[in-house]
Amino acid sequence: MTPAQALMEEAQPIHPAPTSFWRRYVFSIDHKMIAKQFLWAGLLFLLVGGALAMLIRWQWGFPYRPVPLVGRLLFGESGVIGPATYQQIFTTHGLVMIFFAVTPVLIGTFGNLLIPLMIGARDMAFPRLNMYSFWTFLLSQLLVLASFFAPLGSAGAGWTTYTPLSTNVGMPGMGQTLVVAAIFVTGVSSTMGAVNYITTVIRLRAPGMTYMRLPLTIWGLWLTAILNALFVPVLGSAALLLLLDRSFGTEFFVAGASAVRGGGDPILWQHLFWIFGHPEVYIMILPAWGILGDVLSFFARKPHHWYRGTVWAMVLVTVLSAMVYGHHMFMTGMSPLLGEGFMLFTLLISIPSMVVVVNWVLTLWQGSLRYDTPMLFALGTVFVFGVGGLTGLFLGDISMDLYLHDTMFVVGHFHFTMAAASVMGAFTGIYFWFPKMFGRRLGERLGKIHFWFTFLGLTLVFGGQLLAGYAGQERRLFDPFQYTFIQGLRGLNRWTSYFAFALFTGQLFFVVNFFRGVFGRRAAPAGPNPWHVTTLEWTATSSPPPFHNFDRIPEVVRGPHELSNPEVRRLTGRDFAGQAELLPGDGAAAVAARKG
Ligand code: HEM
Ligand SMILES: [Cu+2]
């Protein structure tokens, strides 16, 4: 053991694993168990959000027709979705997906699972805070569920919760209040998580794990945590002010005739929301970028192309993402100079984004590609993110946005980036790290079928949205076909709905695969390193790892993508070397040198 390792061992002693059921599975402080808790909670809400999406698509495909199977149960005798209900459906769909499904899976699960394992630590810096973060999150999910049973129904002001619609003027009733409270509470949870992630990466990296040797996954999660810590509190404050408006008679966001006293400013909400909201979209994509950076390299059997370039591009995107929020508000009548400033930074952000994408492509270039399920999902993510990013350029241009704002084109854009790229990025991670979490691999056949349903489904559904938007269909319309000029889009909308139903049904293959993997006993154990890759969680411990992660804190000697190096092949007969692996021949001398 080197002196640096001894220090880290002293700072993170091995605690005995808890034995009682409650301490192990429920009130666990083990980051691996908390990751699984977030995974279950997030996947469950992914199902809820997905079901809500099916209702939206039903409405656009077959307006005024009773919803099959569940219509009578949900919407009374007629089984038809009414306008007020429709509003609640698209609102809760968006909120559930963003805050209560994708965020817990992408950040809650992978952040918790991977940060300690990939940097060579025994747990998070604050394990107890981690537990609180999960339970706070669960409370926010319960608030959302409770809102469905409120007398006037759930929230209905859109996922952006724009005032004055979201004040008592537009949405009276307990449902909207409960959902705003849920946004606040989940913000508390995210902030606790963020503080923990940031500290852990700074303080607990194993000896030798310099910043420029961190796996890209960790870079993505860490930058996301920084954005979360800075900007989620802005959303939290806005939610608090809105709660005061709704429940205690203040008027921060109410103006004009509805204001009893001097009144406030509804546009203030838009500022507060988007100061958070634009970084939020990068909060949701950076972990996926990171996962892609590693997985593409692993399955192309090549080092990531220009690792440093990708890292700095991701850092630059993080910084710039704080300076572009105004592009969501071009139509609020802001001064042209301000608008042009926001446009400039918005267009600038696509430069580092492009560096990241080009580096992925060059990583694939002339690689020996292995098409296992995680790789298929990774490749699919590259494609859908490409489409999403390019459509963002159109929206970032003010003169184009005058036409496209509030159309389905915007909806298509952000679904390609957030719903397609973030979700497929999350599936990439689930298929890839499933053996680490549960000790067995997910079935390849079911995985591949699931991939094709998901990839084609997402592309066709969101492609349909882009086309409809370009043709002028506005977003959030209960019955778009009341407008004569949209009537020609009936067929397009119906086809898009069929594709959406197929996409939803295709997720069954995942559900079956997942349950089989977690509970089935048929599959053989995956072994410590089923993908033959390099990072610490695969090369320095077992699958699943013991409670204390590593029997000895590893000493890292190389970067995360040591693949297909001829020298490594000569020494080991393998095409990869672990981050902490000492190669024959460089052993004794190298250790002595480091001790020196
Ligand atoms: C290449 C980079 C990108 C550019 C230039 C860009 C540009 C824009 C612009 C200008 C809008 C506002 C359009 C309008 O409302 O009229 C917008 C909306 C949006 N974008 Fe992007 N975007 C980019 C990447 C992303 C990414 C990576 C995500 C998410 C992962 C994302 C998610 C969203 C969301 C959620 C909205 C709209 C939300 C709403 O109004 O409900 N964007 N984007
Ligand atoms: Cu934005």
Side-chain angles (χ1 to χ4, degrees):
M1 196 160 34
T2 64
Q5 272 173 302
L7 270 176
M8 286 311 260
E9 286 281 348
E10 204 173 295
Q12 307 173 63
I14 294 184
H15 298 289
T19 47
S20 82
F21 175 82
W22 290 99
R23 284 260 159 244
R24 265 184 81 176
Y25 297 107
V26 186
F27 297 105
S28 173
I29 55 167
D30 175 8
H31 69 101
K32 301 183 287 301
M33 185 53 69
I34 296 174
K36 288 184 191 175
Q37 293 172 329
F38 270 114
L39 184 64
W40 283 104
L43 287 178
L44 196 75
F45 266 62
L46 195 60
L47 188 70
V48 174
L52 289 164
M54 293 306 105
L55 293 176
I56 304 178
R57 284 299 349 167
W58 179 263
Q59 174 63 21
W60 286 346
F62 311 92
Y64 308 110
R65 290 233 227 124
V67 180
L69 307 176
V70 293
R72 291 195 140 195
L73 186 74
L74 295 177
F75 312 116
E77 268 310 289
S78 68
V80 175
I81 301 174
T85 316
Y86 165 76
Q87 216 177 317
Q88 292 169 9
I89 292 173
F90 76 69
T91 299
T92 41
H93 160 70
L95 285 166
V96 161
M97 283 302 201
I98 291 179
F99 291 109
F100 304 104
V102 180
T103 303
V105 173
L106 209 47
I107 305 176
T109 304
F110 294 120
N112 275 306
L113 177 75
L114 298 175
I115 290 179
L117 283 174
M118 286 185 125
I119 66 174
R122 292 236 152 88
D123 204 322
M124 287 294 204
F126 312 113
R128 208 160 291 276
L129 188 69
N130 212 10
M131 176 180 83
Y132 295 141
S133 168
F134 174 72
W135 285 96
T136 318
F137 173 73
L138 203 69
L139 172 67
S140 70
Q141 282 190 325
L142 292 177
L143 287 170
V144 173
L145 291 181
S147 80
F148 289 130
F149 299 97
L152 298 179
S154 185
W159 85 275
T160 48
T161 317
Y162 273 9
T163 53
L165 186 56
S166 59
T167 65
N168 288 329
V169 180
M171 286 297 301
M174 205 50 200
Q176 182 74 48
T177 309
L178 283 169
V179 168
V180 176
I183 294 176
F184 176 76
V185 174
T186 198
V188 175
S189 159
S190 291
T191 313
M192 288 196 279
V195 169
N196 216 346
Y197 293 5
I198 296 172
T199 317
T200 307
V201 172
I202 295 177
R203 300 292 302 169
L204 297 183
R205 280 169 295 122
M209 182 61 91
T210 58
Y211 281 97
M212 286 300 152
R213 282 178 181 167
L214 283 176
L216 290 168
T217 304
I218 299 301
W219 268 107
L221 288 162
W222 191 55
L223 293 171
T224 279
I226 292 172
L227 284 177
N228 257 332
L230 290 175
F231 294 109
V232 169
V234 180
L235 177 72
S237 327
L240 263 190
L241 295 183
L242 184 54
L243 280 177
L244 290 176
D245 268 17
R246 293 186 59 82
S247 305
F248 297 96
T250 57
E251 291 182 343
F252 291 107
F253 302 118
V254 191
S258 341
V260 182
R261 283 161 247 114
D265 182 3
I267 296 289
L268 171 63
W269 173 271
Q270 293 196 22
H271 284 286
L272 294 176
F273 185 85
W274 288 117
I275 286 174
F276 150 82
H278 185 83
E280 165 70 8
V281 308
Y282 285 93
I283 286 169
M284 292 183 60
I285 200 67
L286 279 164
W289 282 9
I291 290 174
L292 245 59
D294 288 330
V295 168
L296 289 174
S297 150
F298 292 156
F299 287 84
R301 310 309 291 172
K302 267 179 67 189
H304 184 92
H305 184 266
W306 195 28
Y307 168 94
R308 271 167 198 269
T310 299
V311 167
W312 285 111
M314 283 165 64
V315 172
L316 206 60
V317 164
T318 306
V319 175
L320 281 174
S321 78
M323 296 155 69
V324 302
Y325 80 88
H327 63 214
H328 295 270
M329 300 172 61
F330 286 145
M331 304 288 277
T332 52
M334 64 170 69
S335 92
L337 183 62
L338 192 59
E340 278 157 20
F342 279 124
M343 172 164 108
L344 177 70
F345 285 113
T346 300
L347 297 181
L348 277 181
I349 209 170
S350 44
I351 296 172
S353 305
M354 219 53 222
V355 170
V356 172
V357 174
V358 168
N359 279 351
W360 293 337
V361 175
L362 290 176
T363 303
L364 297 172
W365 184 251
Q366 296 192 330
S368 333
L369 271 55
R370 294 184 180 174
Y371 296 100
D372 298 287
T373 310
M375 180 60 157
L376 290 181
F377 271 96
L379 293 172
T381 312
V382 173
F383 176 78
V384 290
F385 181 75
V387 177
L390 287 177
T391 51
L393 283 178
F394 291 80
L395 296 172
D397 183 279
I398 297 178
S399 46
M400 283 291 276
D401 191 53
L402 293 181
Y403 174 70
L404 292 171
H405 179 67
D406 261 345
T407 66
M408 291 296 294
F409 191 88
V410 175
V411 177
H413 156 69
F414 74 74
H415 277 83
F416 264 108
T417 47
M418 294 222 275
S422 297
V423 169
M424 296 222 340
F427 276 126
T428 307
I430 291 177
Y431 280 97
F432 185 67
W433 280 290
F434 189 89
K436 199 40 66 179
M437 277 193 266
F438 297 100
R440 278 179 293 269
R441 278 172 67 159
L442 284 167
E444 275 293 310
R445 245 162 70 96
L446 285 179
K448 288 191 169 127
I449 301 174
H450 174 225
F451 164 75
W452 285 109
F453 267 97
T454 307
F455 175 62
L456 294 177
L458 291 170
T459 307
L460 290 170
V461 174
F462 304 149
Q465 293 178 340
L466 285 178
L467 287 180
Y470 202 69
Q473 182 175 332
E474 302 221 327
R475 65 194 291 198
R476 292 178 175 172
L477 295 181
F478 165 67
D479 171 17
F481 314 111
Q482 308 175 26
Y483 299 95
T484 328
F485 76 101
I486 303 184
Q487 273 166 9
L489 301 178
R490 258 181 210 279
L492 175 65
N493 276 283
R494 195 162 285 183
W495 271 102
T496 310
S497 293
Y498 288 134
F499 291 134
F501 302 146
L503 166 66
F504 187 75
T505 316
Q507 302 310 304
L508 265 178
F509 293 101
F510 174 72
V511 175
V512 172
N513 207 353
F514 188 79
F515 274 86
R516 265 201 205 160
V518 177
F519 298 110
R521 292 274 167 263
R522 288 233 303 275
N529 192 2
W531 310 114
H532 308 295
V533 295
T534 53
T535 42
L536 294 177
E537 83 280 23
W538 299 109
T539 47
T541 186
S542 53
S543 306
F547 178 67
H548 53 269
N549 287 357
F550 302 97
D551 291 335
R552 172 165 299 168
I553 302 257
E555 161 121 10
V556 174
V557 292
R558 59 177 69 79
H561 305 131
E562 191 66 80
L563 294 152
S564 301
N565 177 340
E567 185 62 10
V568 172
R569 200 190 296 272
R570 192 180 64 78
L571 289 170
T572 63
R574 285 185 266 113
D575 73 341
F576 68 97
Q579 282 200 271
E581 182 181 347
L582 288 181
L583 299 179
D586 98 329
V591 172
R594 266 191 301 279
K595 268 186 185 154

